[in-house]
Amino acid sequence: METLSRKPFQGVLNIIRFNWHFYVFAVMIVFLFGVSLIFLPVHFHWITATFGILIITTTLLSLGVSYYIYDYSTIYSLNWLQDFRIGTGTRLININAGFDETSHILAKKYPSASLRVFDFYDPQKHTEVSIKRARKAYPAYPNTIQVDTSALPLEAGTADYILAIFAAHEIRDKQERVAFLKQVNESLNATGRVLILEHLRDLPNFIAYNIGFLHFYSKAEWKSDFASAGLVLTDEIAITPFLALFILSKNNGTTS
């Protein structure tokens, strides 16, 4: 399925654009390693060259994987939602952490659904410079509601689907994350679903992002959070080897 409203290489170019300081630092380190070859004894050259090659390789690998995930794959076609009954009047909540690439796609894909968009970005808590740059580059979806993770403006039992796409991991404090998920649980209706799409702190993401994978949470950590919030994990789908889609309910029903 064709990805809606995405430009070629948009994902990987955004990563470079919003995290350019990392790439400048990597280039500087490799340059210094190269210069050091002039001054170091020959028997140290292999050490310097090895570290330089390692930095270049890991950087290119992370960009290649990012291209595969965010540009080559079809995650932004949202075809992984096709098994869910999203139609006229469906109460659909999309929650982001300051950078929203999916609400406009959802609006085009499901024009008859009742879409509400929440943004829990708090500059006091979420201090990553990449998010600040992204917010400057991309305006918020129209009528996005700024919310606090501890106070979602939703009535209990009213939401059909609540989505958090690459967002929930930005809540770094476990207690705050569980409290957020409890609110999501309370807002969900009896047959509704919560859909959380995330990278995991696992081997594929370690290979792809090196120590950057520590920014994500393990599957065990997510399951602990879900259980603490009273959510039931009804299914888990691998969206590429690097992404996990958690499908959650407030009961053991199978209707989607």
Side-chain angles (χ1 to χ4, degrees):
M1 177 181 289
E2 182 181 357
T3 300
L4 303 176
S5 304
R6 298 280 296 180
K7 298 178 182 178
F9 299 97
Q10 179 175 326
V12 72
L13 289 177
N14 277 343
I15 289 172
I16 297 172
R17 181 182 183 183
F18 303 147
N19 300 280
W20 57 262
H21 53 292
F22 289 123
Y23 300 101
V24 170
F25 180 72
V27 169
M28 290 177 61
I29 293 298
V30 171
F31 174 76
L32 289 175
F33 279 160
V35 171
S36 71
L37 293 175
I38 301 173
F39 304 99
L40 289 175
V42 174
H43 57 274
F44 284 116
H45 284 191
W46 72 270
I47 300 176
T48 303
T50 298
F51 277 107
I53 292 171
L54 183 63
I55 291 173
I56 294 171
T57 301
T58 55
T59 300
L60 292 178
L61 178 61
S62 69
L63 289 174
V65 171
S66 296
Y67 170 77
Y68 167 71
I69 295 171
Y70 300 114
D71 295 301
Y72 182 78
S73 78
T74 59
I75 60 165
Y76 286 110
S77 70
L78 304 186
N79 58 0
W80 41 271
L81 291 173
Q82 63 189 4
D83 293 332
F84 299 94
R85 300 190 184 105
I86 303 175
T88 302
T90 298
R91 289 159 294 189
L92 182 62
I93 312 299
N94 193 28
I95 302 176
N96 70 77
F99 181 43
D100 181 5
E101 291 191 286
T102 55
S103 290
H104 65 290
I105 303 175
L106 286 165
K108 289 182 180 181
K109 191 176 182 71
Y110 302 108
S112 62
S114 175
L115 174 64
R116 298 178 69 189
V117 181
F118 297 160
D119 175 2
F120 64 71
Y121 172 76
D122 181 344
Q124 301 303 315
K125 296 179 181 178
H126 312 130
T127 57
E128 289 190 33
V129 67
S130 59
I131 297 179
K132 294 179 180 179
R133 290 170 182 162
R135 288 175 68 82
K136 288 182 179 179
Y138 289 88
Y141 181 78
N143 301 316
T144 293
I145 301 171
Q146 199 71 34
V147 301
D148 191 282
T149 55
S150 63
L152 297 181
L154 285 171
E155 295 181 6
T158 59
D160 293 305
Y161 295 99
I162 300 177
L163 280 64
I165 301 172
F166 305 130
H169 73 277
E170 296 294 352
I171 307 175
R172 306 308 297 175
D173 180 77
K174 182 177 179 65
Q175 290 185 335
E176 181 187 358
R177 197 164 58 250
V178 170
F180 167 78
L181 291 170
K182 284 182 177 178
Q183 290 184 80
V184 167
N185 184 19
E186 292 171 1
S187 304
L188 202 65
N189 66 33
T191 59
R193 293 291 184 269
V194 180
L195 307 176
I196 294 181
L197 182 63
E198 288 285 352
H199 290 270
L200 295 179
R201 189 181 295 179
D202 59 8
L203 181 60
N205 281 288
F206 172 72
I207 293 172
Y209 299 111
N210 203 276
I211 61 172
F213 91 134
L214 294 174
H215 187 61
F216 312 129
Y217 295 114
S218 68
K219 185 184 299 184
E221 182 73 13
W222 281 117
K223 288 183 176 181
S224 172
D225 292 346
F226 300 150
S228 297
L231 288 163
V232 176
L233 181 60
T234 60
D235 201 1
E236 179 189 334
I237 300 173
I239 310 287
T240 81
F242 307 96
L243 302 176
L245 174 65
F246 297 110
I247 303 172
L248 305 137
S249 70
K250 62 196 313 172
N251 54 50
N252 287 312
T254 57
T255 302
S256 61

